[in-house]
Amino acid sequence: MSTCDARAPPPVAPGRAGGAHPARRDATVSDTLPRKRHASYLPGPRPAHDAPPRHPAHDTPPRHRRRTSASVILRSVLEHGPVARSTVARLTGLSPASVTDYCARFTALGLIREAPTPRQSNGVGRPHVPIHLDDSRFVVGGVHVAVPYTTVALLDLRGRVVTERRLAHDDGTEPDRVLANAAAGLAALLTDHPGRTPLGVGVAAGGWVDRDSGTIVEHALLGWRDVDVRGALGTRTGLAVHVDGHARALVNGERLFGRARGSLSVLHLFVGNVVDAAFATHDEVHHGPRSQAGAIAHLPLPGGSERCDCGRTGCLQAELSERTLCRRAREAGVIATADPMHVVGAAADGDPVAVRLLLERARTVGRAARLLLDVLNPDTVVVAEVGTVHREDCLAALRAEVGADRAASVLPTSFPESVLAVAGGSVALDVVYRDPLSLSPGTN
């Protein structure tokens, strides 16, 4: 399935867990998790959808400490569960009394639960009752707005796709229509899963996305400018809505649920119809003023030949866009569509031109990644690009351009079958894990 905007992925069957999540560590240790709140489509109190998420810099010191402690405990349960509370205390450096108190709060919220069978600790003392994340009840809505279609999905608290649907932009990309269809699509998914309570909605898109205002400031390929996504979807769903760029969203998905978990710094490179990047260090994604960080569409590439809409030649997005890949494949007689997965399919069938086009693109992505590595020097680089996801030779070509000394730090996306759904859902899940005690779920 394509990792980017230009292709239409096959619909994911309800109940399917999307994404190639790595195996959880130590299934004998327990986990807990936070969750968020819910929509007008279901009974229960609604959250205010028009309030922007609280930024850590706005917290008072005591609130910041509580928020940080709650976050590290819940993430410890996510990563290590089922796990004893004493182990969580050791892993986080917090006192056993604090861990017990926070876990009681998480249990009351429905985010964690005790494992059914206690375990004896070294044969001495009271048995330990492990705790683990309760992923059976709560979900977040995920929305990804691409050029040809919008993806709507429900994700559980482990970042796994419960169900997913693609909504084609057959009637155009006028913002009100697209967002109304997305809200209706989420409502339909929730109706199909009556046992699930939504905690909020995450929205991801390419272009310039201002997280703090919940606005898509500019998306040239969609023709969107200053679209209040938070307000539009919040009004229609009654849920808390969080909005961010898709590369930044996927950095959060990778550090919470993917292969980049534990990396001190992560660079994510998203190569679809839109090409952008995101950088996280010490568990914080860099946004910059008005969330403009990561805009690399017009990064010049030596030797580029594609004319960009900005008037220059060789801009990164013009060279690497899936529209460029598909146009070149059509001109060569490889495909007759605008679907990059058809190029991948032709290469799998042995078409040498398709193979060449994908390898050339992978090498160009590698040169861009090398430049960003030189500037940012991250521990891990994650690439979401259709060739490197589906072909080992493309991944090898990309790594060769990066250089042998850093090739091992370059990884394909952890979510090859559900990258767009995970992008949307990760925006909301990041909020859940950063401030779990701010959640006030109702009953379903």
Side-chain angles (χ1 to χ4, degrees):
M1 157 170 183
S2 171
T3 61
C4 43
D5 292 343
R7 80 169 248 296
V12 177
R16 174 179 177 180
H21 295 51
R24 298 276 171 241
R25 285 200 265 162
D26 193 352
T28 67
V29 195
S30 181
D31 57 3
T32 79
L33 195 30
R35 72 159 219 294
K36 240 211 153 7
R37 197 24 235 146
H38 150 179
S40 61
Y41 305 113
L42 295 174
R46 300 188 198 173
H49 60 258
D50 54 350
R54 177 182 289 271
H55 191 276
H58 302 156
D59 288 345
T60 61
R63 173 181 165 78
H64 180 69
R65 286 194 297 271
R66 289 193 298 269
R67 178 181 180 274
T68 301
S69 296
S71 176
V72 297
I73 290 170
L74 188 56
R75 288 183 59 182
S76 182
V77 176
L78 166 70
E79 186 170 353
H80 298 285
V83 61
R85 293 169 181 83
S86 59
T87 303
V88 173
R90 177 174 54 80
L91 291 169
T92 62
L94 296 169
S95 71
S98 292
V99 171
T100 298
D101 177 61
Y102 281 109
C103 287
R105 299 188 197 186
F106 294 154
T107 301
L109 287 170
L111 300 175
I112 67 171
R113 60 184 175 184
E114 293 184 341
T117 306
R119 283 202 313 274
Q120 197 73 27
S121 176
N122 299 323
V124 179
R126 296 172 58 188
H128 288 173
V129 181
I131 51 175
H132 62 107
L133 195 64
D134 188 347
D135 54 18
S136 64
R137 178 182 177 190
F138 296 108
V139 292
V140 297
V143 176
H144 182 278
V145 184
V147 175
Y149 58 88
T150 294
T151 301
V152 294
L154 301 179
L155 283 75
D156 69 13
L157 293 179
R158 297 186 187 278
R160 298 176 300 199
V161 176
V162 176
T163 184
E164 177 182 354
R165 187 173 297 175
R166 186 179 68 249
L167 309 174
H169 296 161
D170 293 335
D171 298 326
T173 58
E174 193 273 326
D176 283 346
R177 180 184 296 113
V178 169
L179 296 175
N181 288 342
L186 287 173
L189 296 182
L190 290 168
T191 299
D192 291 342
H193 293 78
R196 297 285 192 163
T197 299
L199 301 176
V201 178
V203 183
W208 177 5
V209 182
D210 184 359
R211 174 192 61 169
D212 290 339
S213 67
T215 301
I216 294 181
V217 181
E218 184 175 22
H219 193 308
L221 296 180
L222 286 173
W224 288 17
R225 251 191 111 75
D226 295 321
V227 177
D228 180 10
V229 175
R230 177 186 295 149
L233 276 181
T235 298
R236 289 180 169 95
T237 65
L239 291 169
V241 176
H242 310 280
V243 187
D244 210 344
H246 53 204
R248 292 191 294 264
L250 286 166
V251 162
N252 285 325
E254 291 287 349
R255 68 178 182 80
L256 285 170
F257 314 113
R259 297 185 182 100
R261 177 186 281 174
S263 294
L264 292 179
S265 55
V266 184
L267 169 68
H268 192 284
L269 185 57
F270 185 99
V271 184
N273 274 327
V274 174
V275 179
D276 55 14
F279 180 64
T281 181
H282 295 293
D283 209 33
E284 290 291 338
V285 178
H286 180 59
H287 283 76
R290 287 212 71 191
S291 299
Q292 294 188 72
I296 60 171
H298 299 289
L299 187 72
L301 278 181
S305 59
E306 289 290 327
R307 187 76 172 172
C308 181
D309 291 340
C310 73
R312 294 182 296 180
T313 298
C315 292
L316 186 62
Q317 184 167 291
E319 292 293 330
L320 291 179
S321 170
E322 286 189 345
R323 298 197 300 175
T324 300
L325 172 66
C326 291
R327 193 204 73 232
R328 290 173 175 173
R330 288 194 303 272
E331 291 172 350
V334 174
I335 63 172
T337 69
D339 187 342
M341 284 304 295
H342 292 170
V343 183
V344 174
D349 290 338
D351 188 311
V353 177
V355 172
R356 175 178 60 79
L357 289 172
L358 291 171
L359 288 173
E360 287 175 351
R361 188 174 191 243
R363 293 186 187 103
T364 305
V365 174
R367 291 198 295 275
R370 182 178 62 199
L371 175 61
L372 295 172
L373 269 162
D374 288 341
V375 173
L376 299 171
N377 193 31
D379 288 338
T380 304
V381 180
V382 180
V383 179
E385 187 273 331
V386 65
T388 57
V389 167
H390 294 282
R391 294 185 62 88
E392 287 294 332
D393 56 351
C394 288
L395 180 59
L398 188 157
R399 285 173 167 165
E401 290 293 332
V402 165
D405 57 331
R406 294 184 292 189
S409 68
V410 179
L411 306 172
T413 177
S414 301
F415 318 108
E417 302 303 326
S418 55
V419 65
L420 303 183
V422 171
S426 292
V427 179
L429 288 168
D430 175 60
V431 175
V432 168
Y433 279 97
R434 285 189 182 277
D435 197 3
L437 294 181
S438 69
L439 304 174
S440 41
T443 58
N444 186 11

